[in-house]
Amino acid sequence: MATTRTATAHWEGSLLEGAGQVTLDSSGVGTFDVSWPSRAEEANGKTSPEELLGAAHATCFSMALSNALAKDGTPPTAIDTSADVTFQPGKGITGIVLRVSGSVPGITAAQFAEAAEGAKTAHFCSMCGPKFCSMQISQEVRDFAAKKEAGLLNSTTPTAEEAEAGMARMSEKYREAGDL
């Protein structure tokens, strides 16, 4: 069943001197102030399109990963995802970096990294795209594995080869499943 969620924005004045509000209409949870300075400089108690996008992206990815883990027979106790959305005035959004951690009984850190990478590369997160978080997540998983190889992490973390192989296996598995 498809659902439609609605948010509205009201803006008054020019871009640089004006201000507005965004309202989450469907849920009714609130109306939030926005301004150019809160977007391009400091938040100062206001939100921005990038913060709202980050909230949506982190939530979507957490839900997708939770679903993938449950389908593999290892439902998570918790998944925590943060999204750093970078906005460059004049260029727009230049990057989205997701960081995920979780508590999943019955799997190793390597298996968790494999599941996270699989959920990302299979495009299960409807917000995920190759221009944003996917490349960064891949690099962070590889960096993590490289630290293990250098002896900087404990023995439960994957090697670079293990991470690459795990990412490839999970990507293929999720592509074949084609659900979500």
Side-chain angles (χ1 to χ4, degrees):
M1 177 173 124
T3 59
T4 301
R5 300 292 183 249
T6 303
T8 55
H10 174 78
W11 188 266
E12 294 181 3
S14 69
L15 174 63
L16 299 179
E17 290 82 31
Q21 295 182 318
V22 61
T23 302
L24 306 180
D25 297 311
S26 298
S27 64
V29 298
T31 297
F32 305 93
D33 292 332
V34 295
S35 68
W36 178 254
S38 71
R39 185 177 192 192
E41 298 165 15
E42 293 298 318
N44 293 321
K46 298 178 181 178
T47 193
S48 68
E50 292 73 30
E51 184 176 37
L52 296 167
L53 177 64
H57 200 74
T59 303
C60 188
F61 189 82
S62 291
M63 294 169 105
L65 179 55
S66 175
N67 185 51
L69 288 163
K71 284 185 175 187
D72 282 345
T74 55
T77 302
I79 299 290
D80 295 298
T81 306
S82 66
D84 296 330
V85 181
T86 303
F87 172 75
Q88 177 66 46
K91 293 185 179 181
I93 294 174
T94 58
I96 299 175
V97 176
L98 294 181
R99 288 181 179 78
V100 63
S101 64
S103 175
V104 187
I107 69 171
T108 65
Q111 290 168 319
F112 181 80
E114 185 176 317
E117 182 64 21
K120 185 271 308 171
T121 58
H123 301 287
F124 277 96
C125 178
S126 63
M127 305 274 312
C128 194
K131 293 184 180 181
F132 299 120
C133 71
S134 59
M135 292 180 284
Q136 185 64 35
I137 291 173
S138 298
Q139 187 58 51
E140 287 180 5
V141 169
R142 289 182 188 98
D143 291 347
F144 186 72
K147 286 179 184 177
K148 189 221 179 209
E149 284 183 326
L152 301 174
L153 300 172
N154 67 46
S155 63
T156 63
T157 57
T159 64
E161 291 81 21
E162 291 169 332
E164 289 288 337
M167 288 185 276
R169 280 192 310 275
M170 291 304 290
S171 294
E172 186 60 31
K173 178 180 176 181
Y174 291 125
R175 274 193 219 88
E176 288 174 3
D179 55 358
L180 263 192

